Every structure is written in C-alpha cells, then in structure tokens.
Amino acid sequence: MKKLLTVFLLFTLTAKGQEPAYKTSADIYLGLRKLNVLGSVLYIAAHPDDENTRLLTYFSKDRMYRTGYLSLTRGDGGQNLIGDEQGVELGLIRTQELLAARRIDGAEQFFSRAFDFGFSKTPVETFQKWDREKILSDVVWVIRKFRPDVIITRFPTTGEGGHGHHTASAILANEAFSAAADPKRFPEQLKWVQPWQARRILWNTFNFGSTNTTREDQHHFDVGGYNPILGKSYGEIAAESRSQHKSQGFGVPRQRGEALEYFKPTGGEPLQADLMDGVRLGWDRIPGGDSLRARVDALVARFDFMHPEASVEGLVQLYKYLRENVQGNGEPGYWREQKLEEVRALIQAASGLWLDAWSAEPFVVSGDSARVHYSINNRLGVPMTLNSIQIDNSVDTIGGRSLARNANLNGTLGVAVDSVYASTTQPYWLDEPMSEGMFSVSDQQMIGKPQLDNGLYGTAWVSLYGQSLRFSVPVRYRFTDPVKGELYQPFDIIPPLSVRMEPDVLLLSKDRSTEAQEVRVHVVANKTIAQSVQVELQSGAQRMATEDKQLQLARGAEKAYNFPLRASRDGISQQHDFNASVRPGDGSAPQRSDMRTISYNHIPTIRYWKQDRVRVLDIDLKTRGKKIGYIVGAGDKVPQALEQMGYEVTLLGEKELNRLNLKTFDAIISGVRAYNTAEWLNTVHPKLMKYVEDGGNLIVQYNTSNQIGPVRAKIGPYNFNITRNRITNEQAEVTLLKPDHPALYFPNKINASDFSGWIQERSIYHASIPDLDPHFEALLRMNDPGEAADDGALVVAKYGKGFFTYTGLVFFRELPAGVPGAYRLLANLIALNQKKEL
C-alpha cells in the first residue's frame, strides 16, 4: 500500500532500525546549515564494508553534501561471523547492517541487482555471472536519480583491489559516468529520470596492507577533523559506522587525528583545487533561489539551542517560499524536492512533535483487521491544530483540536488489511526467481532501493502557522522487554498459513537402504484455522498427497505430515528436489512458502518468504564410526548434515571439551573459524593433541588469516601456516594426488564425479605448501584458470595412533546445498581412524 502525501514526514530511525530517533538541537542546527549546501557525492563499490565510512562521514557532516553509497551487491556471498546464515539470508543481514551504518555516518544507501556469488579473482569471471549490461543499467539508474556532482570509486579498473567484484564495480562506475549522460543509453529509464552528467569521477586510492596506491602528487585532504557541535571527530563517527558490519567481524577502534584521503581522477573535467571544482554549491545553482541563502542564514543566526521551537515559524515560511518560488523540472525540480524534504524534517524536529503508531502484535494476517494505537504530543507547545489521524484506510476525525503543550493524545483504530503481504513483508528483490548472478526486479522504480517501504503508516494532519502539513510514521510493533525496556520492531503483513519442510537435505544412503526416511511438512497457522486442507509433496512427476478433512489449529500452532521415502535398490545415485503445498478446502490459493525469521540484537527482525525445498539424495554413501564431537565455531550447518549422515553429534564448547572424555568420540570436527573466534581453544590444545595421539581423529575446517579474524589458538600437532589462497571456480578440475590414501578411498572411493555440482567455490584459506611440515600429506590439487596449481585445500597428518586434518574445502556451503560428493568425502575424513590395519 502506497500513500501519496502532500507533505510526507518520516521519523528517522535509530541504529536498531526501528526505534524513533531523538533529534537534538545540535542535529537541528547542523540541518539548518545544510539547507544552504546544494552539492552531492556518490561513492561506488561492490560490497557492504567496501565503503570508506570516514570519507562518507566527512562529506555528509562536514561538507554537508548529499552523500550516497551504491553497493553493487548485498554481500550475500560473504562469510558470517555471528551465525549460520548464508546466501540471500546473509545478504538480508548485511543490508540492515549497511542501513545501520548509514544512519550513523549520514549517507544514503543504494544497491544494484547484482548477487554476491562469492569471491572472484578477475572481472572477467565476475561478468560471466553478472549480466554486465543490466548491472550497468542499474548504476546508470542510480546516477540519474541521485544526480551526483562527483562520483568516487573505492577501487580502480586495473585490478589492485584484488577481488574481481571490486574491479568490476570500478569498470561499471566509469562506464556509467558517461552512459548516464547519454539519452540513447537505457532510454526506457527516461520515463522517470533525465540524463545526468556528473562533473568528474575519481578513484579514492588506498593503502591496504602491502598494497599502497597513494602518492603525494595525488589530490588529497584531511578528513579526520573534530566537529565540536557533535562532540566527535569524523574518524570516531566513521568507526561507529564501520563497526555495524558485525556479521563480518569489522568492529574497529575510534580514530582521532589527521587522516588523509587521496584521489586520482579517472574521467570528466580536470581537478584543480577541490573535488567540487566548477560546481555551484549554493542556491545560485537554480533559478529563483537567490534569496533563499539569506533566509537560511537568518534562521541559522537566530537559532536558540534551548528553544528550537522558536525556529518553526521561520521554517514554515521557508517551506512556503520554496514551494511557491522554485519551480521547474531537471535540476531545479530535483533540488526543490530535496530541500523541501530537509525543511520538513527540520519542522518535525524543531517543533518537538511526537507521533507514534504501533501494534501490540508483531504481524497481522492479510484479509484480517489490526488494532493500531496512536499517540501524539506537542512537546514544545508550538501553536498547532490537529485535524485528523489516519492509519491506512481508517480515519479518526479530530475536528480541529488544539494540541496543548506536552499533553498526550492517544487513540486506537481498527484497520482492515488488504492482501498485500507479498509487497510488504517480502524483500522486493526476493519476489521473483533469481539467476545465478542476479536478482530479478521487474519494477524499474524499485531498483536501487535498499529495502521495501513499510506497508502501513500513521498520518496526522496538522495546521501550524497557516500551513497544513502531514506528519507520518510507519506502523511498528512496540513492546517492552523486561531487560532491554521499550523496543520497536517491524510490523508485518503475512498470509493465513505457511509451509515449512524438514530436513533441508534428506540422505537415503544405500548403505541403509532398508530404513525409511521421512520428509516432514509442517502446516503453520498464522491465525486460528478450522477447515479441510490437502497437503502435497511433489518432485517432477512424483507426487504424494494426504487430505486432512478437519484441520484445527490455534494461532501459532502447527501440524506435521510425514511422507516416508526409501533408497532405491538399483545402485544408481539420484537427486530429487521436493516442494510442498497446502491447498485449503475453501478454494483459496494454495500456500507454498515458509516464513523465515532472522533475529539479532543489532538489526531489526527480518521476516521473508521462501518456498521450502527438501533435497533428497539417494546416493552410495558409506560411513564408519558413530559419535562426533563438534566444536562450535562462527556458525554453520554442518552438524545437521552430520546427523543426516547417521552420526550422533555432540556440540562442544569450552566446558564440554574440558569435562568430557574425548575418547568417546570417533572424530572431533571444529566448526568454521573456530580458532579465529575461540581463544580458549589454546587451553584445550594439549588435550586435543593427546586425543589424536591416542588414536583420535581431529578435523579442522577453515580459519582465516586476515584482519577479520586472526588465528587465536594453536591448531595442529605440527606447524602449518594458513594462507589467503582459494579456488573460486566451483568447477575447477580436482586432481587426486594420492588416490590410495584412505581419505580418498575408504569407505567411499572418491573420483572426479564427487566434485561435480559444487556451489560458489571449491575451497578457501589453504594451508601453505612451501613451509608445510613434512608430516603432512597434501591430497588434492586444483587451480583457478590462469593460475598455478595449489595443493593446500586438504592436508592430513598421522600423529601417534590418530589423524589430524586441516581443510579449506567449503563443506559448510556444500553440505547444506546437498552436494553428494561433499558428503562422501567428509565421511572418509571421519573414517580415517576406523581402518584398523593402518
């Protein structure tokens, strides 16, 4: 549901993303000064955390430019330090982390349709998966909408940025710099926007580790200044912004003192003394704006920090003048609308007007009604009259009521909710089926947006100083936590039923062919249900169904329906993807999707809809051993896969490792980045090594070797170093260096077919081969196109009676994706100490 408002004022939101932000007089004063600045900068890179938050903060809060960051991707292919979400779920988290960062540094956030498919080494590889022309059109669209005076790229076109996505982002930005000004390029966009030529484009050179691309003859300036009004330096604010990237472990210390940034022009007009050379940065850039600077100067000069409400009348008059005297399309129309929005926000903040609209429930079912409460308070006593309150299609006509100073006016409205959940709860980029390297977004006007607008708004019609204004806030779920106090979360609109399937991967091992395994379909009631339903499970032509003639479920309850499956006896490995649907007996549309919820303290709760799938693997998989200890790392779904393989899994933390007798485990596996995140592993290293020496089997999955997470504990019985080497081509040929090693033939004989169907990449953070202790044996060789072979993806050492393995193979991606060969190879690693004759 979209509302067209004469004056549309949204409360800004805090770092959590939902609580109302409380603007101080310092914020208002800086906002008044910004009214006289008509300049804009767009920063472009590839991922969340690529942006230079210090530079964004400086532009936004010192130079007071309208500042934006275009991240081509949402970071879906990254690694997750705080949980087990991967792919689009990680992208949802990182989207909110970017928005939290922007709320701190003051910039705006944009995205393209590009999907982060994982690390790539060259832009050639990147453009094999990204549709280059479509992503270019997205960059052009954002430029034409944002109309930046200057464009800055984080990375160069020449590859020093390392990641193929980085280089691709610079290539596309430089192409878009020219294409955005050409009406022949992407003319379909001109229905909504006009061609735009930025003054210049520059590369923000850098000094990262051993790569220093800065030079003293490059244009540079200090961005580390102190802002006494904010009480912080731009380095301090930038550190708070960057530290919002919590899923990447990017917490950084606050910085103070001089901080130079360097720039190399790559297109447009020559640079002489300032990035904005040749750009008119005041009201003189638009017709009819001559007297506006003096009006704003007067507001700034008269501003009273103790009485910001004294500026409201002048702001209202400025608003009227701006509407009536600045007209036209193109640049005048752009800056007119931009400054109107800024003045509206300042009226809201300076008046101290409190407006809240909330539900006591986290969601409402489409087609039902919701009770929405509202509260309005004229906290500073500005003369104003409330005419009406509206929550979507429900109106409470107040009838010209004067709002007394600091008095709450509360009420409740019943709101009939249309069937709009698909356009409100669902992130818009997940609405349509995606390709390997791109999201599909058909609505041109949605492209570039960080997220979907709220579905429901509360709007108050208020008259003040002769002007009628509408003040609006999104309807949110408000509640009180006994520890955290009052909290706000999104208020979602959802369907009556949802369908959840489990497990994600079902193994029908031919080693256990007589055992029936079950796919479970859970029907979840989002409202009280009493009707007949038909539950179906289907994969291609294979279909199973059961009818429940009288399903009765209370809200929030669920019922499971089990569908048994057995392994085939023909010896042929097979793979099937099963989907489920629930057909209500009342003739309404079948429901096929599950409501997924992602919840962390630092971001708003995320709900999205996904058609669940169970991947059934009918494969030749043999296992040995029974009990696995799993050392919890940064977060992954490997333990669930191990249980599907038939193992009994015990999760091991510090207490368990110190208390338990490790000899009860046939193998112990460390989760991804366990040695990066758990320094206490140092204290149990002797016990783990004794376990291996006495005949145990320790398997260590990858750990990073960079600033995101240095190894904090001893790992193996012999020295080895972890590199940043990785194989990004998931189809890279794999050579078995020692096919007679038990890891490659017992109990499953590994061959080339076991490396088919892998996703995103082969391996990451390899062991360093040149300085590998001779006790280790390297078992696999692989390489990306054009690179030398690398043998560090899987190394095994015999120690005493047992085995130690370090592997960069991305089991944490392949097992949840249902890749058969990953299961067979991991089963062999687990069985290393089970072949007794060794």
Side-chain angles (χ1 to χ4, degrees), residues 449-468:
K449 287 189 174 184
Q451 61 184 347
L452 194 68
D453 296 330
N454 274 63
L456 299 178
Y457 284 90
T459 303
W461 274 259
V462 176
S463 296
L464 66 167
Y465 297 111
Q467 180 70 43
S468 178

Side-chain angles (χ1 to χ4, degrees), residues 636-694:
D636 58 67
K637 297 180 180 179
V638 174
Q640 296 92 315
L642 292 168
E643 289 177 337
Q644 272 295 307
M645 296 167 74
Y647 298 111
E648 297 175 11
V649 180
T650 300
L651 298 181
L652 302 176
E654 183 176 10
K655 291 181 180 178
E656 291 80 10
L657 273 168
N658 280 307
R659 175 173 52 86
L660 296 178
N661 180 3
L662 302 187
K663 290 183 178 180
T664 61
F665 297 113
D666 296 301
I668 295 176
I669 304 174
S670 70
V672 299
R673 293 201 284 187
Y675 288 84
N676 296 133
T677 59
E679 192 168 359
W680 55 263
L681 280 170
N682 265 320
T683 64
V684 297
H685 179 260
K687 185 174 181 179
L688 285 170
M689 295 304 101
K690 179 62 174 173
Y691 159 76
V692 175
E693 188 177 20
D694 290 345

Side-chain angles (χ1 to χ4, degrees), residues 264-323:
K264 180 178 180 181
T266 58
E269 296 182 10
L271 175 65
Q272 301 296 328
D274 188 84
L275 294 184
M276 287 291 182
D277 279 347
V279 179
R280 292 182 178 180
L281 296 173
W283 286 106
D284 59 339
R285 77 182 290 169
I286 61 174
D290 295 339
S291 69
L292 283 164
R293 181 176 187 87
R295 290 172 178 265
V296 173
D297 285 343
L299 281 168
V300 172
R302 294 196 301 264
F303 182 72
D304 185 341
F305 279 77
M306 292 304 296
H307 294 283
E309 72 276 13
S311 296
V312 172
E313 184 174 6
L315 283 166
V316 171
Q317 298 307 314
L318 179 65
Y319 174 82
K320 290 179 182 178
Y321 184 90
L322 191 54
R323 288 191 66 188

Side-chain angles (χ1 to χ4, degrees), residues 186-227:
F186 313 110
E188 68 280 0
Q189 298 179 0
L190 302 184
K191 179 180 178 180
W192 301 280
V193 294
Q194 296 177 324
W196 177 254
Q197 180 62 71
R199 186 73 57 168
R200 60 184 55 87
I201 183 170
L202 309 100
W203 164 34
N204 178 200
T205 59
F206 51 77
N207 184 0
F208 295 159
S210 60
T211 305
N212 185 0
T213 61
T214 65
R215 294 203 315 262
E216 287 306 309
D217 61 351
Q218 294 171 352
H219 182 76
H220 58 277
F221 52 85
D222 178 21
V223 300
Y226 173 73
N227 189 318

Side-chain angles (χ1 to χ4, degrees), residues 502-549:
E502 60 179 8
D504 293 337
V505 177
L506 181 65
L507 283 176
L508 302 179
S509 171
K510 299 186 185 301
D511 204 30
R512 299 178 285 160
S513 60
T514 59
E515 301 177 23
Q517 305 292 315
E518 290 183 335
V519 171
R520 293 177 295 283
V521 178
H522 296 261
V523 178
V524 183
N526 298 322
K527 60 182 288 186
T528 299
I529 298 291
Q531 62 177 309
S532 64
V533 297
Q534 181 169 280
V535 183
E536 299 180 357
L537 187 69
Q538 187 168 0
S539 176
Q542 187 176 356
R543 176 181 174 274
M544 293 169 275
T546 183
E547 185 173 5
D548 192 334
K549 293 187 176 181

Side-chain angles (χ1 to χ4, degrees), residues 15 85 99 120 161 177 308 391 426 431 505 510 512 611 772 795:
E85 295 86 1
L99 290 172
S120 71
F177 172 76
I391 310 292
Q426 182 74 336
D431 268 345
V505 177
K510 299 186 185 301
R512 299 178 285 160
Q611 182 170 358
L772 191 67
V795 296

Side-chain angles (χ1 to χ4, degrees), residues 761-774:
E761 56 202 348
R762 287 283 191 213
S763 57
I764 54 181
Y765 297 103
H766 290 187
S768 173
I769 295 301
D771 52 8
L772 191 67
D773 187 282

Side-chain angles (χ1 to χ4, degrees), residues 464-493:
L464 66 167
Y465 297 111
Q467 180 70 43
S468 178
L469 300 174
R470 296 182 184 184
F471 295 82
S472 294
V473 291
V475 175
R476 290 159 294 186
Y477 166 46
R478 194 180 87 181
F479 62 102
T480 302
D481 181 274
V483 175
K484 301 175 183 176
E486 184 179 79
L487 297 175
Y488 288 80
Q489 288 289 357
F491 178 67
D492 294 321
I493 304 171

